[in-house]
Amino acid sequence: MTHPGVNYGAVGVRVRLGRILRDGKAVIFAFDHGFEHGPKDFPEDRVAARNIIQQVVDAGVDAIMLLPGMARLTHDIWAGRTALIVKLTSKTELRPESSIYLQTRLATVEDAVALGADAVAATVYWGSEHESEMMENWMIIKEEAEAYGMPALQLAYPRGSHFKNWYDPEVVMYGVRAAIEVGADLIKTYYTGSRETFAKVVEMAQGIPVVMSGGAVRDRPVDFLTDLSNVIAAGGSGVAVGRNVFRAKDIKSMARAVMAVVHEGLSPEEAAKRFNLE
């Protein structure tokens, strides 16, 4: 039963978001790669998802972002130890090229609630030929999430075959502006290559927290930590990272180094030295 005029959901959003952004910043371990990218993303010794999730949870990450099926299979690892963000949209790389820039809805906010989630997430490829469909899915998810007091994270990715550069600061800023216009409570987007340009991305978010997408694996851990340090210095709220952690030589140490840069303000060099990263 609802109570007209009483917005309990707004409180729930703030409470749950605080579990993720515990000091205003967060390290989110994003782990949808098995579905979205397939086996090619995983070295032979990294196929076992439970082992990877166990290591990042042991490292103390603030949250993990999983698709519903993986959340179900690993609940005994993360439950009570870290916040859960359930990603409600995805795609495979097996689909035809004509729909490669479309994310399909896999589950509902009710499913996320049933799993014990602290937030939900959905991707919108801004500028894609399928933008309208993803925008409509987002609005349905956002409406459901508000009813349950659930924060909605948007993966705001300018993406489409006509873009010359997805990481162009102006393009990324546009995607972030679009995300806040449709009610995102937290935004994940591309790193634009410098502290100065990412500061403009953060400013465009109008106070909504922005985390960097971890992206492709950097050649050296310290290079990734440098990008992350620039994001924090620019006013960013952290990172949602997958491959730069689960493909690292030492998963747990890399995750802890990322945490140290975000929450302790360690320099990239200090963090790499503390955790013996090559």
Side-chain angles (χ1 to χ4, degrees):
M1 178 179 177
T2 59
H3 298 271
V6 181
N7 185 4
Y8 294 128
V11 175
V13 168
R14 288 196 296 271
V15 169
R16 293 182 175 92
L17 203 55
R19 295 174 188 161
I20 298 167
L21 298 156
R22 52 189 176 86
D23 58 359
K25 300 182 182 68
V27 173
I28 300 166
F29 180 65
F31 199 51
D32 56 355
H33 304 73
F35 193 93
E36 296 219 355
H37 301 165
K40 67 180 175 61
D41 255 12
F42 300 91
E44 288 186 5
D45 63 341
R46 303 289 168 90
V47 174
R50 286 181 60 86
N51 182 47
I52 292 171
I53 292 172
Q54 184 73 63
Q55 290 189 66
V56 296
V57 170
D58 287 347
V61 296
D62 301 297
I64 54 173
M65 183 169 70
L66 304 173
L67 296 178
M70 188 57 69
R72 179 177 68 91
L73 291 173
T74 60
H75 71 277
D76 56 308
I77 298 173
W78 51 259
R81 299 190 65 199
T82 191
L84 172 68
I85 303 169
V86 175
K87 189 166 181 277
L88 300 180
T89 66
S90 199
K91 68 175 183 66
T92 72
E93 290 191 351
L94 300 174
R95 60 172 53 184
E97 189 69 27
S98 60
S99 58
I100 202 69
Y101 297 123
L102 168 67
Q103 290 239 342
T104 303
R105 192 172 181 189
L106 300 180
T108 66
V109 174
E110 282 192 356
D111 294 326
V113 172
L115 285 164
D118 295 286
V120 294
T123 298
V124 178
Y125 294 143
W126 293 108
S128 159
E129 55 267 42
H130 303 288
E131 178 186 276
S132 294
E133 185 174 341
M134 286 178 284
M135 200 186 318
E136 289 172 4
N137 274 335
W138 166 265
M139 296 312 300
I140 293 169
I141 288 168
K142 176 63 181 174
E143 183 178 6
E144 293 176 353
E146 285 189 342
Y148 283 102
M150 188 78 71
L153 182 161
Q154 185 179 122
L155 292 79
Y157 294 159
R159 193 174 293 188
S161 55
H162 62 289
F163 282 115
K164 293 180 180 179
N165 178 12
W166 298 346
Y167 306 94
D168 183 313
E170 291 291 328
V171 173
V172 175
M173 288 166 64
Y174 200 152
V176 165
R177 180 57 183 258
I180 68 163
E181 296 280 7
V182 294
D185 299 300
L186 178 61
I187 299 168
K188 176 187 177 187
T189 196
Y190 303 132
Y191 177 54
T192 49
S194 73
R195 181 182 308 181
E196 293 74 21
T197 57
F198 202 80
K200 294 180 180 179
V201 172
V202 172
E203 183 180 11
M204 185 61 71
Q206 317 290 315
I208 299 299
V210 179
V211 298
M212 174 184 91
S213 170
V217 179
R218 296 296 301 258
D219 291 337
R220 302 184 306 154
V222 73
D223 294 335
F224 176 74
L225 296 175
T226 297
D227 293 342
L228 179 55
S229 181
N230 285 334
V231 164
I232 298 301
S237 297
V239 64
V241 56
R243 285 166 288 181
N244 276 287
V245 167
F246 74 72
R247 293 186 59 143
K249 185 175 180 180
D250 185 326
I251 292 173
K252 193 180 294 186
S253 291
M254 185 62 185
R256 286 174 172 164
V258 171
M259 292 284 289
V261 171
V262 171
H263 291 298
E264 298 179 41
L266 255 64
S267 73
E269 294 77 16
E270 289 171 334
K273 182 177 180 181
R274 178 189 290 185
F275 296 101
N276 298 312
L277 301 176
E278 297 179 358

